[in-house]
Amino acid sequence: MTKKIPAIIILICIMTAFLPGVSRAAITPYFIAINDTLLEFNDETMPYLSGSEIFIPVKIFEKDRGLNVFTIGSDEVERVLLYKGMAKIANFSTMPGSSVTLDKDGNILNWPPARRIGKRFYVPLRQVCDYFDLTYEIHPIKRDIIPDEQMMLIRIVSSANFNTPTFEGLNRNALRAAYYNYYPPPVSPSPATPGPVETPPPPPPPLDYSGITVHLSFYDISAGDVDGILNLLDIHAPFGYHACFFVSAQDISADPGLIRRIAGSGHSIGINLTEGTYEEYLSTSAILFEAAKIRTVIVCMIGSDENPAAFKDVGGLILWESYFDAGFYDTIEVTTITATIPSDTTARLNIMLSCSEEAATVLPGVISFLRLNELAIERITETNEPVSGRTKPE
């Protein structure tokens, strides 16, 4: 965005320790197994999700794990080759201006382009498996194995002795150990040294978020990865994770089918007044009704220079002012963000993100934090009381 955000915006961003460190920002913590072998659970083996596509590290094919598919190249280059004998060859390039995949005859394969995230090279899972006659399954790990989070297993198979449920049962201890090795629990303090020392005060009780209601909302659906956000919300829909998407007139005109998909998935629709006028609301509302037969009085003013206070009592509109932009910080620390969340009180907070690729990366950690701490999730509707603003930190 090119316009300055008003100072009365509320800044709420929750990043959990489930995605620690900048180097892990682009990966997704899924287990990967090849045939009857569980791979190490680390940054080098985890996949990368973009929209509805899953990309896996090309290093998975560097050694013969029984798939009979091999790679030439490394993460340090901008072109790698996957091959199975001489009949099946996939030549991937991420060079600027030529991010294409070619077969052995130089014909372009209509695949999503390979990705380079940092120094790692990723290739599309579905297309690679189809092309090289492999099968794959995305399997949810039983919660009695890893109770702290719903983890997923991607299993790629050319020839295996066990089906996936049996494979999971045989590897339950390895799955649990790998998870807690990657996400170690907090270290208990060392026992106090014997001697005449003062008794330390009792530790404070754990924070109680049971009285907090959280709203999820998004804006700028053209920012790059709204599909990834919608897919993640679809997965968590049974747990009540519905959001409100604030759209502009340009958003609606550019992709009315996407607006209908958002509404059909159970999410609310609001209007983002980029010019900040009531006339803009009336014209955008008419476009919205024509595209999706939806009427709404929920509005926000992201990117507008107008004073939001002018809309508090205009035309019965409901103004939401809560906003988050990672640009407000050089770095985001978990303790900095979670310290702003009140506890032991009845409060209503709004987490609003743009539909950027960065937001889609942060969102799994946000949802993990909300579920782990059992915060109540409520969809924004016309009957909700708007969240009050909070000054942006200096």
Side-chain angles (χ1 to χ4, degrees), residues 111-337:
W111 295 3
R115 304 295 184 94
R116 287 195 64 188
I117 309 298
K119 292 186 177 181
R120 302 191 187 101
F121 202 110
Y122 294 78
V123 295
L125 170 66
R126 177 171 58 87
Q127 289 80 6
V128 166
C129 288
D130 290 345
Y131 188 69
F132 290 106
D133 302 319
L134 304 172
T135 61
Y136 72 93
E137 181 179 354
I138 303 175
H139 178 77
I141 303 297
K142 290 182 179 178
R143 294 303 293 269
D144 65 335
I145 297 178
I146 303 174
D148 294 328
E149 183 56 44
Q150 179 62 74
M151 297 297 294
M152 308 298 287
L153 167 69
I154 298 176
R155 189 181 184 211
I156 306 173
V157 176
S158 61
S159 176
N161 295 320
F162 307 107
N163 60 27
T164 298
T166 302
F167 173 84
E168 177 193 54
L170 293 172
N171 287 273
R172 59 186 297 116
N173 291 335
L175 289 164
R176 184 183 296 113
Y179 175 86
Y180 288 112
N181 182 61
Y182 190 79
Y183 299 128
V187 179
S188 300
S190 302
T193 303
V197 295
E198 295 183 4
T199 303
L207 294 176
D208 178 14
Y209 296 103
S210 60
I212 307 296
T213 298
V214 173
H215 303 282
L216 295 174
S217 55
F218 301 90
Y219 69 99
D220 195 6
I221 64 173
S222 63
D225 208 2
V226 66
D227 283 339
I229 291 172
L230 286 172
N231 291 338
L232 185 62
L233 292 175
D234 286 345
I235 293 173
H236 292 83
F239 305 100
Y241 283 76
H242 291 99
C244 182
F245 286 77
F246 288 93
V247 298
S248 65
Q250 183 178 359
D251 292 331
I252 303 168
S253 300
D255 196 344
L258 179 58
I259 306 300
R260 291 191 290 271
R261 178 192 170 189
I262 292 172
S265 297
H267 306 295
S268 299
I269 301 291
I271 293 177
N272 182 19
L273 301 174
T274 57
E275 298 175 4
T277 65
Y278 187 65
E279 291 73 18
E280 181 190 10
Y281 165 76
L282 293 176
S283 62
T284 305
S285 181
I287 296 172
L288 177 61
F289 186 78
E290 181 179 357
K293 298 298 183 289
I294 293 173
R295 298 191 187 278
T296 181
V297 295
I298 307 171
V299 299
C300 72
M301 296 177 65
I302 303 302
S304 171
D305 291 329
E306 297 297 325
N307 182 3
F311 266 84
K312 288 191 178 296
D313 299 311
V314 173
L317 301 183
I318 298 176
L319 177 66
W320 287 80
E321 300 173 310
S322 181
Y323 179 76
F324 161 71
D325 191 328
F328 290 158
Y329 295 103
D330 293 330
T331 58
I332 299 293
E333 298 292 339
V334 174
T335 54
T336 302
I337 301 304

Side-chain angles (χ1 to χ4, degrees), residues 81 86-91 101-109 131:
L81 197 72
M86 295 302 295
K88 290 289 183 72
I89 295 175
N91 191 343
T101 305
L102 307 176
D103 65 11
K104 66 183 182 64
D105 298 319
N107 299 313
I108 295 177
L109 296 172
Y131 188 69

